[in-house]
Amino acid sequence: MYHYNDFDRDFLANRNAQFRAQVNRRIDGSLTEDEFKPLRLMNGLYLQLHAYMLRVAIPYGTLSSAQMRQLAMIGDRWDRGYGHFTTRQNIQYNWPKLKDVPDMLDALAEVGMHAIQTSGNTIRNVTADHFAGAAADEIADPRPVAELIRQWSTDHPEFQFLPRKFKIAVTGSPNDRAVTKAHDIGLRMVRNDAGEGGYEVIVGGGLGRTPMIGKVIRDFLPREDLLPYLEAIVSVYNLLGRRDNKYKARIKITVHENGIDTIRDKVEAKFAELKPLFSGVDQQMLREIEGHFAAPEFRTASTEAFDDAYAADPVFRAWCDTNLSDHRADGYAIVSVSLKKHGATPGDATGDQMRTLADLAEAFGHDELRISHEQNVILPHVHKSDLPALHRALKAAELATANIGLISDIIACPGMDYCALATARSIPVAQEIAERFEELKLEHEIGPLKIKISGCINACGHHHVGHIGILGLDRAGVENYQITLGGNHTEDAVIGERAGPGFAYDEVTDAIERIIRAYLDVRESPEEEFLDTFRRVGTEPFKAALYPKETVDA
Amino acid sequence: MPRAFTPKVITANALLEGDVVYLTKDDLWTRDLSEAELLTDEAHADIRLLDAEKRGNEVVGVYLADMTAGPDGPEPTHFREDFRRTGPSNYFHGKQEVRG
C-alpha cells in the first residue's frame, strides 16, 4: 500500500486549509455560489437532489483497515451511518452538511485520503483491477503505476481545465476486470515478443450518451515511456477536444471525429517532444512506489480446515463457489464480499459493516481491502484455512450473500433517489429484481449474469456493457426503462443492443423475468452462460419474450 | 391565444444543509411543500423568482417548479419534484423522516 510522505501530507493539509477558508467565506457571504461552486467541485463536493454529496476517491480501489475504519467513522459522525461505493472505486456520502465538510476532509487526510479531482474537467480517480496484486492470471500488479499516474495527474497544472472529465483505468491481467475499453485511456499490461513488460494503450472509450469501445493507439508502449505518452495524449486532447458542446467534449468524440490515425500521429509527435523532458525521475519515483506495494508475506499452512468445512457445510460451500477467485499464492483465495444482499441498496455499507470488514481484513487479510467497480468489497489475500471463520463473521454482519457474478449482483447508480442528473430511479429497480429471483430460487440455475442499471444516459451504472442493461429515462413525465442485451465489459468489450421500446417502472422486473425464462428455454445446457447463448441465438428469442404481441403482428 | 400558465412554486436547496426548500408567501424558506406559495400568474412568478435569486446567501439553485393546486397546498406535476419533497425511496431518510 502506498503511504503518504511529507510532501503528500503538506500538500493535502494546505489544500484542506484552503477549502476550509473557502467554505467559511461562502457561509459568511463573501463568496457567491457562482464563485464557490468550482471550488467545492474541485474538492469533490456536489449538491444533489436532497443534500450535498461528498465523493471521496479510493485510488485504484485499495484500502487499508485503518482507512476503512475512518470511512466508517466519517459516515457515522457526519453522515447517516453509511457510505455508498460507486462504479468508479469512490465512496459517496449522501447527507453531509456544508459546515462539516472541512472536518470530513481533515479526517480523510489523517488516513491519506482525499476528494480532490473527484469532479470537474480533470483527470479523475485512477481505477484498476480490484484483484490487483492477488489474481492468479496477473502479469504484474497495476497499482504502482496507477499510483504514479495519480501523483502525476493530481493538481497537474496543464490538466485542470480539460474540455471534459478524463478517466484512466489500468489492468495487469489479460482478463480485464477494470473495463479498460470504456475509459478515456485504458492501459493493459502486456509483454512483447522479447518478453519485456509494457502497455497496450487504448484511447477514446466511454459509455454515456455516445457509447464507444476504446481503440488501440499503441499496441506496445515500453514501461518507461508511460508518463510522457500519457501526457502527450492528454495534451493533444486538451487542444483538440471540443469546448463548444458539452456532449461532444469527451476524448471518445475527439477520436471519433478526427480518426484514430490522426490522433495517433499527433500524439506521437507530441510524445517525441515530451520524452526528452522526462529525465527519468518518474522512473525513480515508480521504483520507490513499487516498494510500497511489496506483496505480503504469504504463509504456508494446511488447508484441511477449509476442505472439511467445504465438505460439511452447504451454506459455506455455496458461498465459496460464488464468492472466491483464484489467488496467485498457494493455499490462498481472493474473497469477494457482496454488498448486494437481496433487497439491499447495491454498493451501500453501514459504518458497522465497514468496521467489521476492516477487522476481518486485519485478522485474515494482510490488512488489505479493495472496492470493485461492481460495488463489492474484496479481501484480496485470505488463506483458505481462515475462510470458515471469515465466513462466520461475515454472516453475523449480513455480509455473506453468495451471489457474486449472479443475477442479483447488480450494478446500480444512485439514480433519482439521490442524483440531480438522474432521469429515473435505479436502486429500487435493482432491489426488486434481486428479490424476485431470490423468491424464484432461480439465481444459481441461471448462472453468471451481469445486470447493470443506470438512471440516466450518462451511464454511471455501465448499462451498455451489462449482459442485460437497463437505462431509466423520463418519457413524458413518467419513468421508462430501456433494456439492452448482449453487452460485455471485459477484454472483449461490446456495447449491448437495444431490445425495443422501454418499459414502465412497474413492468421492468417482469420484463427481466421474461428474458431469463427465454434464456433458460433456449440455452443448450446449464453450462451455456447467458452471454454465450445470446451470442449463439442473437436478440430474437429475447425480443419475442419481451414483446409477444409485436412479434405476432410482424 | 397565450398558453395556459402552469402554476409554480419557487424552490431551491438550503445553503447550509443542502436540503430542499420552498418559498412561502411571507418570504420565508419552508421545508414543507404544502406551505409554499403557489404562483398562478406568470408575471408575478417571474418577479418572485428574481427576488428569490437575490438570496444566494441562504439558498442555492433557485428555480420555478411546476405544481398543481391540491387540497393541502401545491402538488408536484412531475415525479422528480415528488422525490424532492419526499426523500429517497430506498431509506426512510430526508424529509419523510423529519415529517414521519
Side-chain angles (χ1 to χ4, degrees):
Chain A
M1 297 243 356
Y2 181 71
H3 296 286
Y4 275 19
N5 59 24
D6 290 344
F7 176 87
D8 299 316
R9 277 187 289 273
D10 289 350
F11 171 80
L12 206 47
N14 282 329
R15 178 72 175 250
N16 285 351
Q18 269 176 10
F19 188 59
R20 183 178 292 276
Q22 289 158 353
V23 169
N24 288 340
R25 291 207 296 283
R26 176 69 182 108
I27 291 174
D28 75 16
S30 331
L31 288 178
T32 65
E33 185 61 18
D34 284 348
E35 290 163 332
F36 179 64
K37 188 177 176 184
L39 301 171
R40 67 168 158 81
L41 289 177
M42 282 168 72
N43 292 286
L45 185 62
Y46 289 72
L47 184 54
Q48 294 284 32
L49 223 48
H50 313 293
Y52 287 97
M53 181 272 280
L54 183 66
R55 178 183 291 161
V56 177
I58 300 170
Y60 34 90
T62 293
L63 287 172
S64 66
S65 305
Q67 289 173 324
M68 185 64 117
R69 268 189 208 107
Q70 193 79 337
L71 294 181
M73 186 282 284
I74 290 169
D76 285 347
R77 180 160 173 196
W78 291 296
D79 205 88
R80 302 301 312 264
Y82 75 104
H84 175 74
F85 292 105
T86 78
T87 55
R88 297 220 70 258
Q89 297 180 320
N90 296 311
I91 183 170
Q92 295 183 169
Y93 294 105
N94 287 326
W95 302 97
K97 305 274 186 270
L98 180 57
K99 69 172 175 46
D100 293 334
V101 174
D103 292 338
M104 296 168 82
L105 294 177
D106 283 347
L108 289 167
E110 285 172 19
V111 292
M113 295 182 75
H114 61 70
I116 297 169
Q117 288 180 213
T118 59
S119 176
N121 294 334
T122 57
I123 299 176
R124 302 288 187 90
N125 184 34
V126 179
T127 54
D129 181 357
H130 42 268
F131 291 170
D137 59 359
E138 186 168 272
I139 295 168
D141 187 340
R143 291 174 304 156
V145 81
E147 172 60 25
L148 183 73
I149 297 169
R150 186 190 74 81
Q151 295 189 14
W152 161 79
S153 61
T154 301
D155 216 28
H156 193 305
E158 191 180 333
F159 303 141
Q160 292 304 298
F161 296 95
L162 293 169
R164 199 75 180 86
K165 57 187 163 183
F166 203 91
K167 301 174 182 175
I168 302 178
V170 198
T171 177
S173 293
N175 297 302
D176 184 1
R177 290 172 288 261
V179 207
T180 58
K181 290 193 172 170
H183 282 76
D184 296 284
I185 294 179
L187 298 170
R188 300 178 65 204
M189 292 174 142
V190 290
R191 289 193 191 286
N192 64 7
D193 295 340
E196 297 155 334
Y199 307 96
E200 180 187 78
V201 184
I202 299 159
V203 71
L207 301 175
R209 181 175 299 261
T210 320
M212 302 258 187
I213 299 297
K215 299 170 180 71
V216 175
I217 186 165
R218 186 67 111 80
D219 55 11
F220 184 82
L221 182 74
R223 228 181 289 185
E224 62 276 16
D225 290 344
L226 183 66
L227 285 194
Y229 198 81
L230 289 181
E231 194 151 312
I233 295 175
V234 185
S235 157
V236 164
Y237 163 63
N238 204 10
L239 285 175
L240 209 57
R242 287 180 58 170
R243 291 170 195 267
D244 61 317
N245 182 340
K246 187 180 173 185
Y247 303 122
K248 295 183 175 173
R250 293 288 290 271
I251 196 175
K252 62 189 174 186
I253 304 293
T254 317
V255 171
H256 183 74
E257 288 186 343
N258 292 275
I260 184 71
D261 295 329
T262 304
I263 298 290
R264 183 183 295 115
D265 291 348
K266 286 179 188 290
V267 167
E268 291 293 340
K270 186 72 185 175
F271 172 65
E273 280 174 38
L274 290 172
K275 170 74 180 157
L277 305 177
F278 279 72
S279 59
V281 68
D282 57 316
Q283 292 305 298
Q284 283 173 26
M285 289 175 76
L286 178 58
R287 276 189 288 280
E288 195 188 309
I289 292 168
E290 278 167 347
H292 291 259
F293 289 93
E297 286 190 20
F298 296 122
R299 63 194 163 94
T300 311
S302 161
T303 59
E304 209 175 309
F306 166 78
D307 297 331
D308 292 347
Y310 189 87
D313 177 355
V315 176
F316 177 66
R317 185 160 63 239
W319 177 78
C320 289
D321 288 346
T322 49
N323 294 35
L324 301 186
S325 304
D326 291 341
H327 197 283
R328 65 191 177 84
D330 279 347
Y332 274 76
I334 301 170
V335 177
S336 294
V337 178
S338 172
L339 295 183
K340 317 286 179 68
K341 183 173 185 285
H342 302 97
T345 301
D348 278 9
T350 64
D352 286 341
Q353 287 177 325
M354 287 189 249
R355 266 185 296 275
T356 298
L357 287 163
D359 292 347
L360 294 173
E362 205 166 52
F364 302 121
H366 295 275
D367 206 34
E368 270 198 46
L369 302 115
R370 306 287 170 72
I371 305 304
S372 74
H373 80 270
E374 293 176 322
Q375 301 178 286
N376 292 311
V377 177
I378 316 295
L379 298 172
H381 312 296
V382 181
H383 194 272
K384 285 185 178 172
S385 59
D386 291 326
L387 287 171
L390 175 71
H391 181 248
R392 276 194 298 278
L394 289 173
K395 260 203 301 201
E398 302 207 359
L399 287 167
T401 310
N403 65 345
I404 295 294
L406 301 180
I407 195 168
S408 61
D409 183 8
I410 298 172
I411 289 184
C413 73
M416 202 180 271
D417 287 304
Y418 298 92
C419 180
L421 298 174
T423 44
R425 284 171 291 173
S426 304
I427 291 168
V429 175
Q431 290 173 315
E432 194 180 303
I433 293 170
E435 284 180 324
R436 169 74 60 90
F437 286 93
E438 169 73 356
E439 280 161 24
L440 293 171
K441 296 286 168 211
L442 270 180
E443 177 152 70
H444 289 269
E445 191 184 331
I446 297 163
L449 179 67
K450 300 208 185 270
I451 295 185
K452 302 179 197 274
I453 309 176
S454 304
C456 83
I457 199 159
N458 294 310
C460 294
H462 294 194
H463 64 277
H464 296 109
V465 292
H467 300 171
I468 298 174
I470 301 174
L471 165 62
L473 294 169
D474 172 353
R475 283 279 179 261
V478 180
E479 289 168 293
N480 187 272
Y481 294 84
Q482 281 183 3
I483 292 178
T484 52
L485 295 167
N488 179 359
H489 73 289
T490 69
E491 62 281 4
D492 304 315
V494 174
I495 305 290
E497 289 175 49
R498 241 188 89 185
F503 294 87
Y505 176 77
D506 55 5
E507 297 170 353
V508 185
T509 305
D510 289 341
I512 299 300
E513 187 180 334
R514 291 206 295 282
I515 295 172
I516 296 305
R517 300 246 179 233
Y519 157 63
L520 294 174
D521 274 353
V522 299
R523 71 179 179 187
E524 282 185 328
S525 72
E527 284 69 46
E528 190 181 55
E529 296 179 7
F530 178 84
L531 195 57
D532 294 322
T533 302
F534 177 84
R535 283 173 180 146
R536 181 172 58 78
V537 303
T539 51
E540 279 319 309
F542 303 108
K543 281 188 182 173
L546 280 172
Y547 310 103
K549 262 193 226 141
E550 281 86 335
T551 310
V552 173
D553 292 346
Chain B
M1 211 177 92
R3 277 186 300 123
F5 178 71
T6 307
K8 302 198 188 322
V9 300
I10 288 174
T11 182
N13 288 76
L15 172 66
L16 296 179
E17 286 83 17
D19 53 347
V20 174
V21 293
Y22 305 96
L23 192 63
T24 68
K25 66 178 186 323
D26 307 327
D27 283 329
L28 299 172
W29 295 108
T30 176
R31 264 72 181 165
D32 190 344
L33 177 58
S34 66
E35 294 171 4
E37 177 187 18
L38 188 67
L39 304 161
T40 52
D41 177 80
E42 186 163 13
H44 181 57
D46 287 345
I47 290 168
R48 296 289 284 156
L49 179 65
L50 284 172
D51 288 340
E53 280 172 342
K54 289 186 199 146
R55 299 171 66 174
N57 291 335
E58 300 164 17
V59 295
V60 182
V62 182
Y63 66 95
L64 291 165
D66 287 354
M67 297 285 156
T68 55
D72 301 314
E75 288 284 331
T77 59
H78 189 278
F79 60 92
R80 186 174 195 272
E81 290 302 329
D82 203 10
F83 288 125
R84 285 184 80 241
R85 79 158 165 183
T86 310
S89 50
N90 62 329
Y91 299 123
F92 198 65
H93 287 166
K95 293 189 176 298
Q96 55 202 338
E97 182 184 31
V98 176
R99 275 207 305 272

